[in-house]
Amino acid sequence: MRNRIFAVSAMALMVSACGPKQLALPGDPIGKAATCAVVSAAAARQKSPDVTGDLGFDDQTRILHYAMLAASDGGAFSAKRASEVVSRMGEVEADVTGGKWQALVNPCDQAYPQVKKTAGIELPKARFDAALGCYSLGDFLVKTVQTREPRAQETLSELMKMRRDLDGTVGSGLRARGASEYEKTLALKQKALGKMVKLGAPAETVKACTSRFA
């Protein structure tokens, strides 16, 4: 009987060991952002299990927002840092989705409150600052969000129109500030983008932008 009890206990331990493992947020900023982005993607797929194609604009930008926030830790947006987060996502995806990723939803919400902010988003008060911020955010999303989902395509079309409408305003404003060379204009755009990603969810921020400038 005693041997049978030991055998049953050993089997129970083996079964539990094969189940999803406990997860924790990494301490490094790149790993943390990548992990939360994967968790966000898993949650989006779980909410819409029938969706086999591209996720919508809100879901895609929510996932992307973690990389954008990590890329703006230093103030100005860093494309290199954002790419590092995206690369890390591919490295951690299997471990995260194969573990108890649901337990990381609240820690990610606490670590990145801007991702959950969908109301009370205020654009910069100065018209040029708002225009440059909206232009930079819209330009980034148009270039990075890849989807054939119809409503997302409509939103991207609105952002492309806003970008075209703001071309003259942004160009003349940058020249007035002594930024006529590519490096200087890029630096100002990255600084503006770094501020915009911290206002709240990108999907809601661009609604404020198109409402004001489209």
Side-chain angles (χ1 to χ4, degrees):
M1 174 66 72
R2 187 177 179 184
N3 288 340
R4 183 181 176 188
I5 292 173
F6 282 148
V8 171
S9 299
M11 183 175 293
L13 287 171
M14 289 175 64
V15 170
S16 64
C18 293
K21 65 179 180 180
Q22 296 288 344
L23 300 170
L25 287 183
D28 70 291
I30 301 298
K32 183 188 295 184
T35 298
C36 287
V38 172
V39 168
S40 182
R45 287 295 182 189
Q46 188 180 66
K47 273 193 311 183
S48 305
D50 296 331
V51 176
T52 56
D54 296 334
L55 292 171
F57 185 81
D58 288 20
D59 286 329
Q60 286 208 29
T61 53
R62 188 182 305 114
I63 295 164
L64 187 60
H65 199 185
Y66 296 98
M68 298 169 74
L69 287 166
S72 304
D73 275 348
F77 179 83
S78 167
K80 179 178 180 293
R81 196 169 173 83
S83 295
E84 290 174 356
V85 175
V86 173
S87 294
R88 187 72 63 84
M89 285 174 64
E91 296 170 7
V92 304
E93 181 179 9
D95 283 343
V96 173
T97 56
K100 296 182 179 179
W101 60 264
Q102 295 88 343
L104 293 182
V105 171
N106 285 335
C108 285
D109 288 347
Q110 294 171 9
Y112 301 95
Q114 301 95 331
V115 175
K116 298 288 288 184
K117 185 178 179 182
T118 58
I121 294 173
E122 297 183 6
L123 298 178
K125 289 183 171 57
R127 179 173 174 78
F128 176 75
D129 291 342
L132 181 59
C134 287
Y135 182 95
S136 301
L137 179 60
D139 187 56
F140 179 80
L141 294 179
V142 164
K143 292 176 179 177
T144 53
V145 174
Q146 303 293 323
T147 179
R148 289 170 291 184
E149 198 272 329
R151 283 180 294 182
Q153 284 291 309
E154 291 177 10
T155 301
L156 291 171
S157 294
E158 289 178 3
L159 293 180
M160 286 188 280
K161 179 182 182 303
M162 180 189 71
R163 187 178 57 178
R164 289 193 301 270
D165 292 344
L166 287 175
D167 269 336
T169 299
V170 169
S172 60
L174 289 172
R175 287 191 295 273
R177 288 159 178 76
S180 56
E181 299 176 358
Y182 173 77
E183 288 77 10
K184 291 182 179 179
T185 61
L186 179 62
L188 288 177
K189 288 177 181 177
Q190 289 178 330
K191 184 177 180 181
L193 181 56
K195 292 178 180 178
M196 293 295 286
V197 302
K198 297 170 186 173
L199 298 181
E204 299 302 320
T205 303
V206 293
K207 284 180 184 177
C209 286
T210 54
S211 175
R212 183 167 180 180
F213 294 111

